[in-house]
Amino acid sequence: MTHCDYHGPEESLVRRAAITLKLCDHWVNGSLVAAPTSSLPAPVGGVRNWDYRYAWIRDAAFAVFAMRRIGFVGEADAFLGWVLDAFEQSGRPRIMYDVDGRPVPDEVEDGELEGYRRSGPVRWGNGAADQRQHDIYGEVLDCADQWLRSCGDLQPDLWHSLAGLADLAGQAWRQPDQGIWEVRGEGRVFTYSAGMCQVAVDRAAAIGARLGLPGQVAAWRASAERLRHLILTQSWNEEARSLREHLDGSGGLDASLLALPLRRVVPADHPRMVATTSAIADRLSAGGGLLYRYLHDQSPDGVPGDEGAFLLCSFWLVDNLVRQGRVGEADELYASLCARASPLGLLPEQIDPSTGGFIGNFPQAFSHIGVIASGVNLTRAKAGATA
């Protein structure tokens, strides 16, 4: 771990999280799997058993962003090259690939295996691979912007590809998709997806203006501002006093909205974001600082049964509290989440709120990303407070 540049809260666990992400990373080509396991149930006895041994564009982008912040800059370079090559080979952007950039196999159930603790079905492949998820445009453009700010070399063909993704994002946000949580029911215009399309056009405008590149810089900038305004106005539900999961203000609360300030879509201290943060912390609470992604009776996802608390959402809450100046609360929550790690410093996708037990695929890249990103945010906030 000679590249690790982190000195802050839970330093040993942050280093362990970085090692875990590196072990999920394909060191040759830059891809990164969401988890090295398949079909570990969430919860035990349920049917939410998925194969996570593939490279999601979203998960990998979150990972390289977190790793960059603690000194691992080469990972972002490798990932960007890998994902654009994968897009070109597949003829269109897909949400996930295998580690070699090939299509993910069709999802099948293995009737010969009973599953972990007899929680079948065991699945190989992933049926979400062909879903429409518009956030991938923002993930790639955001990664490219970070890379170029650290002196990456932008070739004309690369800019042509990035500009094309921005153009797609400028239209895609109007169309229903399956969202970050990969619902297996009817698509909707999700607020988070629209927010990541905003990220795509915003970063394209920033790159084009900064480097004097050809492209629709003014149109992208106008589109970014329009989308930011739409998110703050149209997804706001006055009765609920919060932003909602769908851009028309309908649907339930969605913990993914906590990620919007982290991608600079809306300010964390905007009154409507502050209200949304409080609503999510209160109404999606699973107790003990844990959060559900959403409530299934308000946000049906097309899969039977409930699930546990999703760890990354609680780390997002830490980050919002930090940005809202509530550093003491954030520090306390962060410590409680880190205390849930196994003796080896590993975390699952979800926690069973009733027992504290680990559920879902393990170890989960998303959860270790949260350990790193929130640790960095807390460290910087504390340094600012004492400066």
Side-chain angles (χ1 to χ4, degrees):
M1 292 293 290
T2 56
H3 295 291
C4 186
D5 181 22
Y6 177 81
H7 305 285
E10 305 288 347
E11 185 170 333
S12 63
L13 192 65
V14 168
R15 289 176 173 269
R16 173 71 254 189
I19 292 171
T20 303
L21 292 179
K22 286 297 296 178
L23 291 173
C24 290
D25 181 27
H26 191 296
W27 63 273
V28 174
N29 63 23
S31 62
L32 182 142
V33 298
T37 55
S38 175
S39 301
L40 295 182
V44 172
V47 298
R48 295 171 180 268
N49 314 328
W50 314 117
D51 189 350
Y52 277 8
R53 302 168 303 142
Y54 304 107
W56 269 256
I57 303 305
R58 173 193 314 114
D59 299 44
F62 269 100
V64 298
F65 177 65
M67 295 288 278
R68 173 184 287 279
R69 300 178 78 192
I70 58 171
F72 293 85
V73 297
E75 283 69 13
D77 302 0
F79 166 72
L80 185 61
W82 173 82
V83 71
L84 292 175
D85 285 345
F87 284 177
E88 183 176 0
Q89 291 172 20
S90 61
R92 64 177 178 86
R94 293 178 177 268
I95 67 168
M96 70 176 92
Y97 298 86
D98 72 8
V99 293
D100 294 317
R102 298 174 302 202
V104 170
D106 292 338
E107 185 175 300
V108 297
E109 296 183 4
D110 193 330
E112 297 184 358
L113 299 176
E114 67 177 17
Y116 175 72
R117 295 176 63 181
R118 299 184 177 179
S119 294
V122 171
R123 293 185 172 97
W124 308 119
N126 198 298
D130 292 324
Q131 283 187 355
R132 178 180 293 180
Q133 296 176 24
H134 301 321
D135 61 317
I136 61 172
Y137 306 119
E139 302 294 0
V140 175
L141 265 297
D142 197 26
C143 186
D145 185 47
Q146 297 166 40
W147 174 65
L148 289 166
R149 288 179 183 274
S150 62
C151 302
D153 183 21
L154 186 60
Q155 299 296 322
D157 286 348
L158 175 56
W159 174 238
H160 178 75
S161 298
L162 295 174
L165 293 177
D167 290 338
L168 288 172
Q171 301 297 321
W173 67 267
R174 299 177 175 87
Q175 304 165 8
D177 73 344
Q178 264 57 50
I180 182 176
W181 305 131
E182 301 182 348
V183 300
R184 297 205 172 191
E186 182 183 359
R188 300 292 298 270
V189 180
F190 285 96
T191 302
Y192 177 84
S193 297
M196 290 308 296
C197 287
Q198 192 276 346
V199 171
V201 291
D202 176 81
R203 303 306 190 268
I207 293 169
R210 191 169 65 245
L211 301 180
L213 299 169
Q216 304 183 68
V217 171
W220 290 330
R221 185 177 291 119
S223 180
E225 289 306 311
R226 182 169 63 254
L227 270 170
R228 178 180 288 111
H229 175 75
L230 287 174
I231 288 167
L232 285 170
T233 55
Q234 290 194 5
S235 72
W236 175 257
N237 185 299
E238 185 64 31
E239 182 179 358
R241 300 296 300 166
S242 71
L243 303 175
R244 306 298 273 187
E245 65 177 329
H246 302 142
L247 194 56
D248 62 3
S250 67
L253 276 171
D254 180 356
S256 71
L257 300 176
L258 294 173
L260 296 181
L262 313 183
R263 313 309 283 273
R264 307 199 308 272
V265 178
V266 298
D269 59 357
H270 188 286
R272 292 192 170 182
M273 193 63 227
V274 172
T276 300
T277 302
S278 296
I280 289 172
D282 179 32
R283 298 175 218 163
L284 295 185
S285 173
L290 300 174
L291 294 176
Y292 295 111
R293 297 186 292 178
Y294 46 85
L295 301 179
H296 291 263
D297 59 341
Q298 298 178 18
S299 306
D301 58 13
V303 183
D306 290 323
E307 59 184 9
F310 203 86
L311 270 174
L312 180 61
C313 298
S314 291
F315 286 112
W316 285 343
L317 178 57
V318 170
D319 298 334
N320 277 265
L321 293 175
V322 168
R323 291 171 183 237
Q324 292 168 15
R326 300 160 64 181
V327 178
E329 294 174 64
D331 197 17
E332 183 178 348
L333 175 57
Y334 181 69
S336 74
L337 296 172
C338 291
R340 295 182 180 274
S342 76
L344 295 178
L346 301 177
L347 288 165
E349 176 187 37
Q350 299 180 27
I351 297 287
D352 184 334
S354 63
T355 66
F358 290 3
I359 56 178
N361 282 303
F362 171 85
Q364 176 80 4
F366 254 168
S367 301
H368 296 89
I369 291 164
V371 171
I372 295 171
S374 295
V376 170
N377 288 333
L378 272 168
T379 300
R380 293 180 177 179
K382 289 181 176 182
T386 58

